[in-house]
Amino acid sequence: MNLPNRITLARICLIPFLMVFLLVDFPFYPEPLQLGSFSLPYNQLIAAVIFIIAASTDGIDGYLARKNNMVTNLGKLLDPLADKLLVTAVLISLVEMGKLDSWIAVVIISREFAVTGLRQIALLDGSVVAASAWGKLKTVVQIVAIVLLLLNNFPFSYTGIHVDIIAVWAAALITIWSGVDYFIKNKNLLHLTKA
């Protein structure tokens, strides 16, 4: 178990803590953080910090694995799995909290399943579906949207501009397009063969 894989496992281990802070209503929470007209429950603030830490480990483990020639089959399995578990857990929690429409969560999660399926087909065919620029942009925009939702649109709440909603729509559209892009670029993997 090398360092990049341990970092990936740590990302997975942070998910239950994240969900506890989002979904469990502890009676000992202090009053929400107040900054003028802005209000943020402390559990959401803690969850946002945990999410940012977990999301940031995604780039770190991949960088270390490539730089130090520590890419392993376990890492290839765990890294995308950790990403999908993290995003899926937060999206479902945000739906439960009433901060995200369920159809947007379904669209994003469905795309992840579809691209994972495509990657499995590629592995069976002896090829690899490399991460695309759209896929990387999708990840960044999803993280930004989730953080803004967790922070109740801070600091943009002072401007009256709902950047969190804009980011959610951008994440949904880029997620859909990046999924379509993967299938267009790898349509040769979907050829039909006679049994």
Side-chain angles (χ1 to χ4, degrees):
M1 178 73 64
N2 61 31
L3 179 60
N5 290 344
R6 287 179 182 169
I7 293 172
T8 305
L9 279 175
R11 182 158 76 254
I12 294 172
C13 291
L14 285 173
I15 295 170
F17 294 99
L18 175 62
M19 293 190 69
V20 164
F21 280 107
L22 286 178
L23 301 177
V24 177
D25 188 19
F26 292 113
F28 54 80
Y29 278 137
E31 289 296 313
L33 176 66
Q34 290 288 147
L35 297 171
S37 60
F38 174 76
S39 176
L40 180 67
Y42 278 96
N43 63 312
Q44 282 182 227
L45 177 60
I46 295 167
V49 170
I50 293 172
F51 178 76
I52 291 167
I53 292 168
S56 67
T57 65
D58 180 30
I60 294 169
D61 58 8
Y63 171 76
L64 288 175
R66 288 186 297 275
K67 181 184 176 190
N68 300 312
N69 197 23
M70 293 194 283
V71 176
T72 63
N73 287 335
L74 179 62
K76 290 177 186 176
L77 169 71
L78 285 181
D79 187 55
L81 177 63
D83 299 340
K84 286 164 183 52
L85 287 173
L86 178 64
V87 170
T88 300
V90 177
L91 291 177
I92 292 171
S93 299
L94 288 168
V95 170
E96 174 71 18
M97 296 165 68
K99 292 181 147 300
L100 182 69
D101 290 336
S102 57
W103 72 266
I104 292 178
V106 169
V107 165
I108 292 173
I109 294 168
S110 297
R111 179 267 184 207
E112 299 301 342
F113 277 116
V115 172
T116 298
L118 181 65
R119 286 198 162 108
Q120 293 302 316
I121 292 170
L123 286 175
L124 293 173
D125 201 49
S127 55
V128 175
V129 175
S132 70
W134 281 107
K136 291 174 182 175
L137 179 63
K138 175 265 311 177
T139 301
V140 171
V141 176
Q142 282 180 0
I143 290 169
V144 169
I146 288 169
V147 170
L148 286 172
L149 288 173
L150 291 175
L151 294 178
N152 292 348
N153 197 37
F154 180 82
F156 303 102
S157 53
Y158 291 109
T159 67
I161 301 171
H162 292 282
V163 178
D164 54 347
I165 303 303
I166 295 168
V168 165
W169 276 97
L173 293 172
I174 293 170
T175 296
I176 292 168
W177 175 248
S178 69
V180 170
D181 183 57
Y182 273 115
F183 277 88
I184 290 172
K185 289 180 177 173
N186 297 281
K187 61 181 181 287
N188 58 308
L189 296 172
L190 302 174
H191 58 274
L192 299 175
T193 58
K194 294 181 181 178

